[in-house]
């Protein structure tokens, strides 16, 4: 990864913006700061204001691990499209009606291990098409991870598990991921390229499978193995990135006022 706010990075951003791309953003850790309790997360008003301006010029999408309904009420702006549950849910409709049923073995395991999980400080969040096991508030992270592993070890091959920042996620093994979702959004929007900004493990499929002309940006450089092409130093750099996007649309060759 290379730092985006360099002459090389800003030139790459400018070039991509002149092609009128899809703009796609993760939610937690990207648009909204990571918080101890997921229910407290919101997009800061200055960020939402910039995003609303961008959404009047280009297709703006939010691609999150949360459910669509949950994300929508936390945005403070109106995007063109929202994708939830790590790619499996598009504006309220899943890619397969039976995906929620596939999670039944996980739900049964969570019921059986409810006592140990609760004692370990693990919070279970069932989002219909995925389940998140949060341990950010656990007093003993290692103990919480052990309690989670007792559930995960018994899951069938029809389910997939991946980590994140103080969370373990369970999804249907055949469900769409964020890379599938962003590719579909590019096609649906009629754009030829994309900017994608994310910060966590479930954003890596987009970074790995991005087309050569997509601009992929990781928020933070805590993972040197990330396949993102560029990085921001942290969430505090996001308003600056959005300002650069808006400025590029005001220059010759920029987008018209409405899409």
């Amino acid at each position: 990864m290379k730092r985006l706010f360099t002459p090389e990075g800003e030139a790459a951003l400018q070039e991509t913006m002149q092609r009128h791309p899809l703009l796609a953003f993760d939610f937690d850790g990207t648009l909204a700061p990571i918080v101890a309790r997921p229910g407290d997360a919101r997009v800061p008003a200055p960020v939402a204001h910039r995003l609303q301006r961008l959404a009047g010029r280009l297709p703006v999408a939010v691609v999150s691990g949360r459910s669509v309904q949950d994300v929508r009420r936390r945005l403070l702006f109106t995007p063109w499209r929202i994708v939830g549950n790590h790619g499996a849910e598009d504006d309220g409709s899943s890619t397969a009606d039976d995906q929620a049923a596939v999670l039944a073995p996980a739900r049964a395991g969570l019921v059986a291990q409810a006592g140990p999980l609760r004692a370990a400080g693990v919070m279970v969040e069932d989002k219909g098409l995925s389940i998140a096991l949060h341990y950010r508030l656990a007093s003993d992270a290692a103990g919480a991870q052990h309690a989670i592993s007792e559930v995960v070890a018994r899951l069938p091959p029809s389910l997939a598990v991946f980590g994140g920042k103080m969370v373990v996620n369970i999804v249907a093994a055949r469900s769409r991921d964020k890379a599938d979702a962003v590719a579909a959004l590019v096609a649906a929007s009629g754009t030829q390229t994309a900017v994608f900004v994310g910060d966590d493990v479930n954003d890596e499929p987009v970074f790995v499978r991005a087309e050569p002309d997509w601009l992929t940006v990781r928020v933070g450089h805590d993972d040197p193995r990330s396949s993102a092409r560029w990085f921001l130093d942290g969430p505090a750099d996001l308003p600056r990135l959005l300002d650069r996007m808006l400025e590029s649309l005001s220059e010759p060759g920029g987008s018209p006022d409405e899409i």
Side-chain angles (χ1 to χ4, degrees):
M1 290 189 297
K2 299 179 180 179
R3 179 172 278 106
L4 182 65
F5 291 132
T6 62
E8 180 186 7
E10 298 217 29
L13 176 62
Q14 176 74 10
E15 180 180 356
T16 303
M17 291 298 296
Q18 292 301 314
R19 298 181 61 201
H20 309 165
L22 167 79
L23 305 179
F25 302 87
D26 172 48
F27 181 75
D28 291 284
T30 300
L31 295 185
I34 295 288
V35 291
R37 293 177 174 79
D40 294 338
R42 297 287 188 281
V43 175
V47 170
H49 176 70
R50 290 168 168 87
L51 288 164
Q52 191 64 65
R53 291 176 61 197
L54 283 167
R57 310 288 293 279
L58 295 172
V60 173
V62 178
V63 185
S64 173
R66 293 174 181 257
S67 71
V68 168
Q69 182 180 9
D70 186 27
V71 171
R72 193 188 308 278
R73 60 196 175 93
R74 302 177 187 281
L75 294 179
L76 304 180
F77 77 101
T78 305
W80 167 66
R81 193 75 66 84
I82 303 172
V83 177
N85 276 289
H86 310 286
E89 182 190 13
D90 188 346
D91 275 353
S93 60
S94 69
T95 55
D97 292 338
D98 62 347
Q99 283 187 20
V102 174
L103 290 168
R107 294 188 176 98
L110 291 168
V111 170
Q113 295 293 317
L117 288 168
R118 190 179 304 109
V122 177
M123 186 186 78
V124 178
E125 182 185 12
D126 190 335
K127 297 174 282 187
L129 298 178
S130 68
I131 298 173
L133 307 177
H134 301 275
Y135 57 96
R136 185 172 297 277
L137 295 177
S139 57
D140 177 4
Q145 289 173 316
H146 176 74
I148 291 170
S149 70
E150 292 293 305
V151 175
V152 168
R154 296 174 172 83
L155 296 178
S158 58
L159 298 177
V161 177
F162 58 91
K165 294 179 178 177
M166 308 298 285
V167 65
V168 173
N169 300 286
I170 304 172
V171 298
R174 60 186 179 83
S175 63
R176 293 195 320 174
D177 62 18
K178 286 191 176 186
D180 298 318
V182 175
L185 290 170
V186 170
S189 67
T191 57
Q192 300 301 312
T193 188
V195 177
F196 178 75
V197 188
D199 78 306
D200 209 347
V201 173
N202 66 343
D203 300 311
E204 285 297 324
V206 186
F207 299 152
V208 170
R209 290 155 52 194
E211 295 293 334
D213 61 343
W214 291 12
L215 190 119
T216 56
V217 183
R218 183 180 174 97
V219 179
H221 48 92
D222 52 310
D223 185 359
R225 300 167 299 175
S226 176
S227 295
R229 292 169 188 151
W230 305 94
F231 71 86
L232 303 177
D233 285 327
D237 278 345
L238 185 65
R240 182 181 176 187
L241 171 60
L242 301 178
D243 284 341
R244 291 291 188 274
M245 291 177 170
L246 288 164
E247 289 165 7
S248 73
L249 296 177
S250 301
E251 296 181 4
S255 174
D257 287 342
E258 300 293 338
I259 59 171

